[in-house]
Amino acid sequence: MNKKTSGGLITAIDIGTTKIVAVIAQKNTRGIIDVVGIGQHPSHGLKKGVIVNINATVDSIKAAMQEAQAMAGARIESACVGISGGHIKSINSTGVVAIKSREVSQHDIDRVIEAAKAIPIPKDQYILHVLPQYFRVDGQEYVFDSLGMYGVRLESQVHIVTGAVASAQNIIKSCELAGLRVSDIVLEQLASAAAVLTPAEQEMGVGILDIGGGTSDFAIYKDARIRHSKVIPIAGNHFTNDLAVGLHIPFSKAEELKKLYGSVSKDRILELKKNYLDISLGYEGGTKTVELSSLAEIIHFRAEEVFDLFLEEINQFRLRPLMPTGLVITGGGSLLSGMQELASEKLGMAVRIGQPEILAADVPYAIPDILKSPIYATVYGLILHASGGCNFGDISATSDAVFARVLKRMRSWVYDLF
Ligand SMILES: Nc1ncnc2c1ncn2[C@@H]1O[C@H](COP(=O)(O)OP(=O)(O)OP(=O)(O)O)[C@@H](O)[C@H]1O
Ligand SMILES: [Mg+2]
């Protein structure tokens, strides 16, 4: 797969529910990844992380790409893109094979990963990632590098992420109509994790929750391997919608107020009591007086719901022991005042806000200040991946041939089962 576009440029596009961001980067002569173009446009064609209007999405991709290309002074042909939405499903799967000549060979490793992939998948889903977690050799747990080990039985534990074929096809089609070939499709929280989690956190055990506009995407890492992932279909737009409905004001006004005065902190509710604001209702005409504490009163329920769903998942799958360093929240929703404190209180663990940073001294990336915001975690992680700085395992979808290949592979896995 060719990850670079013409002239050694690397491009990533985050097709989000609220905004589409394109970033163009280039490796300079010292091997450092320099961002040379950034473009952003509001997104009007997605609902809950999924494309529901191709034309609107194409227009936004074109606008973001035009801006990024003008800044970079280059014409881009292909890009790595993210995927999310309620259709994403993840499971951990195990494969078992006999070790052929008493010593684990690369061929045994390939066979045992293939064996773990052989799971029944609904017809409308395809495998997006197969991420090896660890091996067992003759019952010896948590072997990360099994090559050359002696034994008779090799087991692999892998994390499999599947997505709806139609959703991926809509992403590919939108990019192609905007004049771009899709070089890779990556689960969004994997990209965000690469951008904001430190290697030490990933090694010791940590969770990441990217609270976007349409979905809150989470993943858990331990021993530098992904252990769990899930998409929660509630995020920032739901907070705004609650405000719009609760206060009888337009969505755009609610969004503005949420960013300026919104909070999920109970202390802030008390602080803001008896503070009033006159809001002009725009196209509806007239003004409305709102007590500022009512914003927090309305939206803190939604924020609690997001963390309740997160808690439900970590309790159901007994994930808490995998997160000794706590949780990193990112995405635009993490910027809502009081989110970090509320998360820490509800979950009973350390919580920090993550933004793209240089995470290890030996990683040569120069991040422009403009991208140092939780909003850009996904797009920056996609750039890291596209530039070869991190590997998300066996990634499929690339342009037209992709689907033929993916479907063929799906069929062969199905045959493998019988
Ligand atoms: N300063 C802020 N205070 C409160 N909320 C904010 C702030 N900045 C952004 N948000 C909210 O963050 C959300 C957008 O986040 P983000 O840009 O990460 O989403 P997205 O990538 O477009 O969507 P998704 O990943 O869910 O498809 C919006 O709901 C927006 O209101
Ligand atoms: Mg996002």
Side-chain angles (χ1 to χ4, degrees):
M1 174 175 37
N2 183 14
K3 281 177 179 159
K4 288 180 184 172
T5 54
S6 52
L9 295 173
I10 306 147
T11 303
I13 306 180
D14 175 13
I15 303 174
T17 308
T18 66
K19 48 97 178 68
I20 292 185
V21 195
V23 170
I24 304 171
Q26 186 172 35
K27 252 187 197 160
N28 70 22
T29 47
R30 286 173 297 142
I32 294 174
I33 298 289
D34 279 331
V35 171
V36 293
I38 303 170
Q40 178 166 334
H41 197 79
S43 170
H44 299 295
L46 277 85
K47 277 220 162 76
K48 296 187 183 176
V50 170
I51 295 175
V52 291
N53 181 331
I54 296 221
N55 288 338
T57 306
V58 171
D59 290 347
S60 299
I61 295 174
K62 276 186 181 163
M65 278 307 294
Q66 242 164 32
E67 207 177 302
Q69 290 180 126
M71 190 173 158
R75 166 98 186 82
I76 299 301
E77 284 155 16
S78 72
C80 173
V81 298
I83 189 167
S84 185
H87 59 97
I88 298 286
K89 305 271 179 290
S90 307
I91 56 156
N92 290 333
S93 169
T94 308
V96 187
V97 295
I99 301 168
K100 281 219 164 119
S101 48
R102 297 280 294 156
E103 196 177 316
V104 177
S105 65
Q106 188 56 49
H107 182 59
D108 293 323
I109 294 175
D110 295 344
R111 280 193 307 128
V112 81
I113 301 272
E114 271 310 305
K117 278 181 186 172
I119 53 162
I121 300 162
K123 261 209 173 105
D124 57 350
Q125 293 264 312
Y126 79 108
I127 293 192
L128 188 59
H129 298 282
V130 177
L131 304 156
Q133 295 173 316
Y134 55 88
F135 299 93
R136 263 179 231 105
V137 183
D138 287 356
Q140 165 77 46
E141 287 271 1
Y142 301 114
V143 175
F144 295 110
D145 186 4
S146 61
L147 191 66
M149 284 187 71
Y150 283 100
V152 289
R153 177 189 162 94
L154 179 66
E155 283 176 62
S156 66
Q157 187 73 31
V158 301
H159 187 70
I160 297 181
V161 181
T162 68
V165 173
S167 287
Q169 274 170 331
N170 286 337
I171 290 176
I172 292 172
K173 184 170 176 191
S174 301
C175 287
E176 286 183 348
L177 289 173
L180 282 167
R181 205 165 37 79
V182 171
S183 61
D184 255 344
I185 296 187
V186 171
L187 182 67
E188 288 178 8
Q189 59 264 52
L190 298 189
S192 302
V196 308
L197 298 180
T198 67
E201 282 170 336
Q202 293 191 41
E203 190 65 42
M204 287 176 68
V206 70
I208 177 166
L209 180 65
D210 181 332
I211 309 167
T215 60
S216 296
D217 308 336
F218 88 79
I220 290 176
Y221 288 78
K222 172 114 175 72
D223 303 312
R225 308 290 206 280
I226 189 164
R227 299 295 282 272
H228 192 88
S229 62
K230 166 98 181 164
V231 174
I232 298 173
I234 299 176
N237 271 357
H238 298 81
F239 300 15
T240 309
N241 210 42
D242 289 352
L243 278 183
V245 172
L247 299 174
H248 303 289
I249 57 176
F251 185 91
S252 56
K253 206 52 163 178
E255 177 72 11
E256 197 182 310
L257 283 184
K258 180 184 81 170
K259 287 186 182 164
L260 281 174
Y261 306 105
S263 175
V264 294
S265 144
K266 288 184 187 130
D267 294 346
R268 192 89 179 115
I269 297 180
L270 293 175
E271 227 177 275
L272 291 173
K273 276 242 177 277
K274 307 271 174 267
N275 280 296
Y276 296 92
L277 184 75
D278 286 332
I279 308 169
S280 81
L281 293 179
Y283 62 84
E284 288 192 0
T287 59
K288 186 179 173 106
T289 305
V290 170
E291 188 177 354
L292 288 181
S293 61
S294 62
L295 299 176
E297 271 165 1
I298 293 172
I299 52 182
H300 97 270
F301 286 113
R302 260 309 174 185
E304 290 202 340
E305 191 183 356
V306 171
F307 296 124
D308 281 339
L309 290 170
F310 179 80
L311 207 50
E312 225 171 74
E313 187 81 2
I314 62 171
N315 288 340
Q316 185 187 346
F317 292 93
R318 300 198 180 94
L319 301 169
R320 192 177 282 272
L322 302 178
M323 307 165 60
T325 57
L327 177 71
V328 177
I329 55 170
T330 190
S334 69
L335 291 171
L336 187 58
S337 146
M339 283 298 262
Q340 183 182 4
E341 295 76 10
L342 180 71
S344 183
E345 185 192 312
K346 290 247 6 150
L347 306 173
M349 61 177 71
V351 176
R352 74 169 178 92
I353 298 177
Q355 63 180 24
E357 288 177 88
I358 295 170
L359 299 168
D362 58 343
V363 179
Y365 294 99
I367 306 176
D369 283 346
I370 191 172
L371 289 184
K372 288 184 187 163
S373 159
I375 287 175
Y376 301 118
T378 305
V379 77
Y380 198 71
L382 292 172
I383 278 285
L384 291 186
H385 167 66
S387 65
C390 52
N391 177 13
F392 299 135
D394 171 15
I395 296 166
S396 24
T398 49
S399 78
D400 254 15
V402 173
F403 268 89
R405 208 178 66 222
V406 168
L407 291 172
K408 193 167 146 226
R409 218 166 48 174
M410 278 165 60
R411 256 180 246 125
S412 76
W413 288 329
V414 173
Y415 292 141
D416 282 352
L417 291 177
F418 299 102

